[in-house]
């Protein structure tokens, strides 16, 4: 066989190998999607998403942020590309202390509450109590073993600002059946929307278009989506213009403070001074800015003029306080529970504003509970007990702050007047008194 023939067979073999690899890779991805969506109705074991280098890289889009640049970033998000807007939202909280404070206060009002899994028969009538209790007990058992659950709940609460937050459910075969073994937050840089505003998740195999959100595999929390594009309802988008205005105002304020706080140095020279003498005088004036000392001849007249003398400073402080109040209104619905120097308010107004905060918290609790029940508890219960099992509810425990005197009156009225059965363990916990252990000596009061 000639040399050209050998080259031909070598080239044909390499081409066939590459073509076979491409075809097999495509078929594998296609079969995996079919298995996940139409297989046996069960989620696939293992993780779909693994950490990428791109997840920790940022472009800092807030640098040099101006109205045109902000508009371009928001329009890009409207087209489904969420990378830059998610980075901008992250930077906004990092660089604005007031925004960070009100956002943390709104989220902490939710995530700071303890949670529980409640049986479905406590919320609906006509439910099989036995199945409902078994499903609730199983969900409690599984979730109690997940060390990452609290971190995931905090990750999902970030959707208050971004309007979308996603976590992946990791399933594995345990004692012959699928069981939830972990929940992993999904980086916001992986999220995108297609042309029909459907959420997709970017992967190493699909870095541009992404994969669809598969059922029983992801928790998707979109608290502010009522209608329209899912990326337009977040509170960080609402306050983006205020953030930009505040950044520009503070920048001008710092420049003004630098000029206003330093006197203007003026040197007058004789008309006969040469160009070299003028340059020497200028260098001396520049040295006064750092060394505060200089040497001039008798022919040079030196004068210091105080900057801004006799004039009131520009209203930078008022603008910053106004923008802070706007951010507080967007996140908390009011301003009197945040630090706003120079503002006053009556006790009645403060109570009304505090009630607004409670209304927002109640709404956040309801939306979070709906998402957790739909995307976490429902797959757990139905995979174990079947599709007709009553799905339990995720409920936050609303703390009721009481003084010891108030709690004592409540216990006395409940037990002595109403005859209610109050658990002793609960009474000890509410009063902060430990339960006696064994033959431990206890105090006995007068009856």
């Amino acid at each position: 066989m000639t040399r050209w023939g050998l080259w031909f067979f070598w080239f044909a073999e390499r081409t066939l190998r590459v073509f076979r690899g491409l075809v097999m890779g495509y078929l594998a991805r296609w079969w995996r999607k079919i298995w996940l969506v139409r297989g046996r109705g069960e989620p696939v074991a293992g993780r779909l998403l693994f950490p990428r280098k791109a997840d920790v890289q940022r472009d800092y889009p807030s640098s040099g942020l101006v109205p045109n640049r902000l508009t371009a970033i928001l329009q890009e998000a409207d087209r489904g590309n969420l990378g830059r807007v998610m980075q901008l939202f992250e930077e906004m909280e990092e660089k604005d202390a007031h925004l960070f404070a009100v956002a943390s206060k709104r989220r902490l009002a939710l995530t700071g509450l303890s949670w529980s899994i409640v049986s479905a028969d406590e919320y609906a009538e006509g439910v099989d109590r036995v199945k409902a209790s078994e499903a609730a007990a199983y969900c409690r058992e599984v979730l109690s073993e997940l060390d990452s659950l609290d971190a995931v709940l905090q990750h999902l609460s970030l959707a208050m600002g971004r309007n979308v937050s996603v976590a992946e459910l990791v399933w594995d075969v345990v004692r012959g059946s699928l069981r939830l073994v972990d929940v992993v937050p999904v980086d916001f840089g992986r999220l995108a929307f297609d042309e029909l505003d459907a959420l997709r998740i970017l992967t190493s195999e699909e870095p541009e278009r992404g994969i669809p959100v598969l059922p029983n595999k992801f928790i998707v929390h979109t608290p502010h989506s009522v209608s329209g594009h899912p990326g337009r309802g977040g509170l960080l988008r609402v306050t983006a213009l205020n953030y930009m205005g505040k950044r520009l105002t503070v920048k001008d304020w710092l420049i003004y403070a630098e000029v206003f706080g330093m006197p203007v140095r003026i040197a007058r020279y004789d008309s006969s001074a040469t160009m070299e003498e003028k340059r020497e005088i200028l260098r001396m004036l520049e040295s006064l800015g750092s060394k505060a000392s200089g040497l001039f001849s008798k022919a040079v007249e030196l004068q210091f003029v105080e900057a801004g003398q006799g004039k009131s400073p520009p209203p930078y402080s008022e603008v910053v306080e106004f923008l802070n109040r706007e951010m507080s209104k967007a996140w908390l619905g009011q301003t009197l529970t945040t630090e706003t120097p120079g503002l006053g308010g009556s006790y009645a107004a403060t109570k009304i504003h505090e009630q607004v905060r409670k209304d927002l918290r109640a709404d956040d609790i309801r939306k979070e509970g709906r998402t957790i029940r739909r995307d976490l508890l429902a797959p757990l219960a139905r995979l174990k007990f079947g599709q007709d099992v009553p799905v339990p509810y995720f409920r936050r425990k609303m703390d009721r702050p009481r003084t010891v005197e108030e709690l004592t009156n409540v216990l006395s009225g409940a037990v002595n007047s109403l005859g209610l059965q109050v658990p002793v363990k609960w009474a000890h916990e509410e009063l902060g008194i430990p339960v006696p252990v064994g033959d431990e000596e206890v105090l006995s009061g007068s009856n």
Side-chain angles (χ1 to χ4, degrees), residues 95-115:
K95 295 182 177 181
D96 193 308
H98 184 84
L99 177 58
F100 174 80
V102 294
S104 299
K105 184 178 294 186
R106 173 76 179 265
R107 291 193 292 261
L108 188 60
L110 173 68
T111 59
L113 301 174
S114 58
W115 54 268

Side-chain angles (χ1 to χ4, degrees), residues 241-269:
L241 186 61
N242 299 88
Y243 167 81
M244 182 196 66
K246 184 178 175 182
R247 289 270 296 176
L248 296 176
T249 302
V250 171
K251 177 181 178 182
D252 293 340
W253 194 0
L254 293 175
I255 295 174
Y256 174 80
E258 181 180 6
V259 176
F260 184 82
M262 296 180 61
V264 179
R265 304 174 297 278
I266 300 175
R268 295 182 176 89
Y269 56 84

Side-chain angles (χ1 to χ4, degrees), residues 59-75 84 88 244:
D59 297 329
Y60 294 93
S62 70
S63 299
L65 190 65
V66 293
N68 290 340
R69 181 177 175 86
L70 176 60
T71 301
I73 293 175
L74 296 180
Q75 289 177 344
R84 286 208 301 167
L88 173 63
M244 182 196 66

Side-chain angles (χ1 to χ4, degrees), residues 29 39 73 77 105 153 168 197 203 247 250 320 365 387 392 405 432 439:
R29 289 195 298 269
I73 293 175
K105 184 178 294 186
L153 292 176
E168 180 185 1
D197 293 341
T203 63
R247 289 270 296 176
V250 171
V320 170
I365 291 174
Q387 294 295 319
E405 182 180 359
D439 297 332

Side-chain angles (χ1 to χ4, degrees), residues 204-217:
S204 300
E205 294 80 10
E206 296 286 350
E208 299 295 333
R209 180 170 174 78
I211 62 173
V213 177
L214 303 174
N216 302 333
K217 190 59 180 173

Side-chain angles (χ1 to χ4, degrees), residues 422-430 433 435:
V422 178
V424 176
K425 181 180 179 181
W426 176 86
H428 277 270
E429 291 178 352
E430 292 295 318
I433 301 175
V435 179

Side-chain angles (χ1 to χ4, degrees), residues 119-121 124-135 388-391:
S119 177
D121 64 295
E125 297 181 357
V127 175
D128 189 331
R129 290 191 173 183
V130 176
K131 287 186 177 181
S133 299
E134 290 179 352
D388 59 342
V389 65
V391 178

